[in-house]
């Protein structure tokens, strides 16, 4: 069929919408190439001579394919595939000369529509894709009907009906289609950027997260939530240090001995934690986790270690306790918790020995150390840089820092005083969302604290940051008003006026995103089996059976609904007109194919002049119904009362 400019204009617009989500995700040259090819095709609508021939398209296609190969190598990963599809879309549009060509472009666009989900799965992207999906359905109907106008309510209604009828089938496939163990978008040689805490701690390295409002995880408590100052979210535990940094023991190491679950129901805190993918082994839990959830294990130092790195959204039901860890460490762990590098500054030992002489027990040493931090140190987001010996430089020279500075130096001082200590990295606090009734723990809440071993109390949490900046523990950091090289701003004063409305809107959007993440993105194999087991489905065979049965029922129902709509949408005026023609045919003969309605009625008036008034009225009413709706009822009633 000849190609209509209407479909080209629509496909160019859809192409622009498909490229927009990739801005910032794909290299800029591919975005520019994609827009340039679409712009070239738009130019041909006004200047047809600029439409390239196949002799120009062939070397252009080869050159652009070579450019993709040069940029990404032999990788068939997410970025290379997305870039290639965008280029192919533009080239195919330039090649399009018939409706068959545009049909191929539309099918290609359906594949491109999926590619933004390989980068992010936000609800905003899903809503955007849903709208573009409707436009693609509309372009299919435009292309197949060869319509000349985009403003066509009938075709829009058909497209909307198809979309509406596809929703039940989509939901059935989402619920019952067997989930794969890994994410669908796990392309070879593809590694997402890791955000959040790392497996090493250098003094102050957590401060680079203080300006990030990105979500780390969300938590919904089954009962009353603990106070803000008690929300310590335990993550990796650090034992080893070389004096400059603290490193995490590899999760497969023998040092990660399993711990027994703590059964103390009276002190338990139950909650659901919905974790964002961070591509690490550790799982965060309210200090102290009492037992490991599914697909995780509890180590002897009460870390929750996942069986594999977290690469997708997963929700966990976790139980924590306020009970102290009183089991005595092994000799190996005590040696690890007391180890100090040989190059440690002697002033560190002198200060620790001074406190030992002034106090009768370890608790006195800890108290005096906290008083030392409170009097002489300052909490800042951008502390001075440190050199080869960061602990001593911070303790005796700069005295300005962040939680990483305080925790690493405090743990070193405790070890110098003979008190076993270790670092715990995680998050502290969180922002309570009143609309969704959950806590949003952000990267800005990243925190590091110390645990010391006391014979009479077991492992005790000591947070030197609380001694210097109690607002950091009582309130969360406010990244929205935070600026580099400035004092820390905290969420202390409730917003008023417009800011309060803005906060309510932000909470509502975050709540919507939470339910999207929890119900859709976190619906993995474990959650699917848990949900379907309540319906008596326990394996993939049951899933496939119910998938086939329900899909068949929905298809039958959809076909029935379409037929019913067609039956209900019959033209009542035309039905009455055909009844009238049948009645007239008995008197004046059948209406000839070449006869118009006016000619047929005039022939009837000529043969039956005595009924000229009634026939003229019927003719006028019928013609009015074809060009307007006001005469429909009158015409139908007139036909019912008309008799020879």
């Amino acid at each position: 069929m000849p190609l209509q400019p209407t479909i080209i204009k629509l496909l160019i617009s859809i192409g622009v919408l498909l490229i927009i989500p990739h801005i910032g995700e794909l290299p800029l040259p591919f975005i520019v190439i994609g827009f340039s090819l679409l712009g070239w095709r738009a130019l041909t609508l006004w200047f047809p001579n600029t439409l390239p021939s196949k002799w120009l398209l062939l070397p252009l296609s080869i050159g652009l394919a070579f450019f993709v190969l040069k940029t990404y190598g032999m990788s068939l990963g997410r970025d290379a595939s997305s870039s290639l599809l965008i280029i192919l879309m533009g080239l195919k549009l330039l090649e399009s000369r018939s409706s068959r060509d545009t049909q191929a472009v539309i099918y290609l666009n359906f594949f491109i529509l999926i590619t933004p989900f390989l980068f992010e799965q936000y609800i905003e992207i899903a809503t955007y894709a849903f709208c573009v999906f409707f436009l693609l359905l509309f372009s299919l109907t435009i292309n197949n009907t060869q319509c000349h106008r985009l403003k066509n309510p009938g075709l829009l209604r058909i497209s909307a009906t198809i979309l509406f009828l596809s929703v039940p089938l989509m939901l059935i496939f989402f619920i019952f289609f067997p989930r794969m163990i890994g994410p669908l978008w796990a392309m070879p040689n593809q590694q997402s950027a890791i955000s959040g805490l790392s497996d090493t701690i250098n003094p102050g390295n957590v401060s680079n997260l203080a300006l990030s409002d990105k979500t780390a995880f969300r938590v919904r408590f089954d009962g009353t939530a603990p106070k803000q100052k008690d929300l310590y979210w335990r993550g990796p535990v650090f034992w080893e240090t070389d004096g400059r940094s603290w490193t995490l023991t590899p999760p497969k190491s023998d040092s990660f001995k399993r711990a027994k679950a703590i059964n103390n129901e009276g002190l338990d805190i139950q909650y659901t934690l919905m974790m964002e993918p961070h591509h690490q082994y550790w799982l965060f839990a309210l200090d102290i986790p009492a037992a490991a959830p599914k697909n995780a294990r509890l180590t002897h130092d009460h870390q929750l270690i996942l069986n594999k790195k977290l690469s997708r959204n997963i929700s966990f039901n976790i139980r924590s306790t306020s009970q102290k860890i009183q089991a005595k460490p092994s000799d190996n762990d005590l040696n690890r918790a007391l180890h100090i590098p040989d190059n440690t500054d002697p002033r560190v030992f002198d200060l620790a020995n001074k406190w030992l002489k002034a106090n009768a027990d370890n608790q006195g040493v800890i108290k005096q150390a906290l008083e030392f931090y409170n009097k002489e140190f300052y909490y800042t987001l951008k502390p001075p840089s440190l050199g080869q010996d960061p602990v001593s430089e911070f303790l005796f020279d700069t005295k300005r820092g962040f939680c990483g500075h305080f925790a690493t130096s405090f743990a070193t001082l405790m070890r110098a005083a003979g008190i076993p200590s270790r670092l715990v990295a995680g998050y502290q606090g969180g922002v309570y969302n009143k609309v969704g009734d959950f806590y949003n723990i952000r990267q800005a809440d990243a925190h590091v604290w110390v645990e010391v071993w006391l014979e009479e109390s077991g492992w005790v949490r000591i947070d030197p940051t609380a001694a210097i900046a109690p607002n950091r523990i009582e309130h969360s950091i406010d990244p929205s008003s935070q600026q580099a090289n400035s004092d820390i701003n905290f969420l202390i004063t409730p917003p008023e006026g417009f800011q309060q409305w803005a906060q309510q809107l932000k909470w509502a959007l975050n709540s919507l995103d939470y339910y999207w993440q929890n119900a859709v993105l976190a619906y993995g194999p474990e959650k699917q089996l848990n949900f379907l087991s309540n319906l008596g489905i326990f394996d993939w065979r049951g899933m496939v059976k119910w998938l086939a049965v329900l899909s068949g029922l929905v298809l039958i129902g959809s076909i029935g609904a379409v037929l019913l709509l067609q039956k209900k949408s019959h033209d009542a005026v035309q039905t009455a007109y055909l009844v009238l023609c049948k009645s007239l045919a008995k008197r004046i003969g059948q209406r000839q194919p070449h006869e118009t309605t006016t000619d047929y009625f005039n022939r009837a008036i000529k043969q039956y002049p005595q009924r000229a008034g009634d026939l003229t009225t019927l003719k006028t009413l019928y013609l009015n119904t074809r060009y307007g709706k006001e005469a429909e009822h009158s015409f139908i009633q007139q036909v019912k009362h008309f008799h020879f």
Side-chain angles (χ1 to χ4, degrees), residues 39 47 93 115 355 401 483 564 569 604 615 639:
F47 303 99
L93 263 177
T115 56
W355 293 339
Q483 296 180 356
L564 185 62
S569 62
L615 290 170
V639 170

Side-chain angles (χ1 to χ4, degrees), residues 218-234:
R218 298 179 176 94
V219 174
R220 181 190 296 275
F221 288 95
D222 292 352
T224 304
K227 295 180 180 179
Q228 180 82 10
K229 64 183 182 63
D230 296 324
L231 295 177
Y232 279 84
W233 304 100
R234 186 185 192 88

Side-chain angles (χ1 to χ4, degrees), residues 87 176 184 211 226 270 323 338 392 408 473 475 489 503 580:
I87 290 175
F176 290 97
L184 179 63
L211 295 177
Q270 306 276 354
Q323 182 176 339
L338 287 171
S392 62
T408 53
I473 309 304
H475 308 280
N489 295 317
Q503 184 186 68
L580 178 61

Side-chain angles (χ1 to χ4, degrees), residues 384-586:
S385 59
L386 301 173
Q388 294 296 320
D389 193 354
V391 172
S392 62
E393 290 180 27
F394 170 70
L395 285 173
F396 305 109
D397 299 325
T398 63
K399 297 186 177 184
R400 298 165 64 87
F402 206 72
C403 61
H405 295 80
F406 305 136
T408 53
S409 60
F410 188 89
T412 303
L413 284 169
M414 292 300 101
R415 291 186 176 188
I419 302 175
S421 61
R422 62 193 185 191
L423 294 185
V424 181
Y427 296 84
Q428 198 285 321
V431 178
Y432 178 62
N433 188 313
K434 293 182 180 180
V435 176
D437 188 29
F438 63 87
Y439 280 84
N440 185 33
I441 290 82
R442 311 150 305 159
Q443 298 297 351
D445 299 312
H447 195 55
V448 183
W449 60 94
V450 181
E451 283 184 343
V452 299
W453 170 258
L454 300 175
E455 288 288 344
E456 63 277 10
S457 304
W459 286 103
V460 179
R461 180 177 66 233
I462 305 295
D463 189 355
T465 304
I468 302 164
N471 278 337
R472 169 62 186 88
I473 309 304
E474 296 287 347
H475 308 280
S476 291
I477 289 177
D478 182 10
S480 61
S481 61
Q482 196 64 55
Q483 296 180 356
N485 300 316
S486 66
D487 292 336
I488 307 293
N489 295 317
F490 298 99
L491 296 169
I492 299 177
T493 305
E496 298 178 354
F498 176 77
Q499 290 184 344
Q500 184 178 13
W501 284 99
Q503 184 186 68
Q504 292 286 341
L505 178 60
K506 184 178 180 180
W507 281 347
L509 294 175
N510 286 338
S511 299
L512 186 64
D513 183 64
Y514 170 78
Y515 290 113
W516 165 260
Q517 300 264 359
N518 192 44
V520 179
L521 299 186
Y523 190 73
E526 308 88 357
K527 198 166 186 177
Q528 184 185 42
L529 285 174
N530 183 57
F531 172 73
L532 295 181
S533 63
N534 297 325
L535 305 177
I537 302 172
F538 302 99
D539 55 21
W540 67 269
R541 295 178 182 86
M543 296 181 196
V544 172
K545 180 181 71 175
W546 280 102
L547 180 65
V549 171
L550 293 177
S551 298
L553 291 175
V554 167
L555 287 174
I556 293 172
S558 299
I559 294 172
V562 170
L563 294 176
L564 185 62
L565 288 172
Q566 288 180 346
K567 183 178 180 180
K568 287 185 175 181
S569 62
H570 73 280
D571 191 338
V573 171
Q574 189 66 12
T575 301
Y577 172 70
L578 293 176
V579 170
L580 178 61
C581 288
K582 187 176 181 181
S583 177
L584 290 174
K586 295 177 181 178

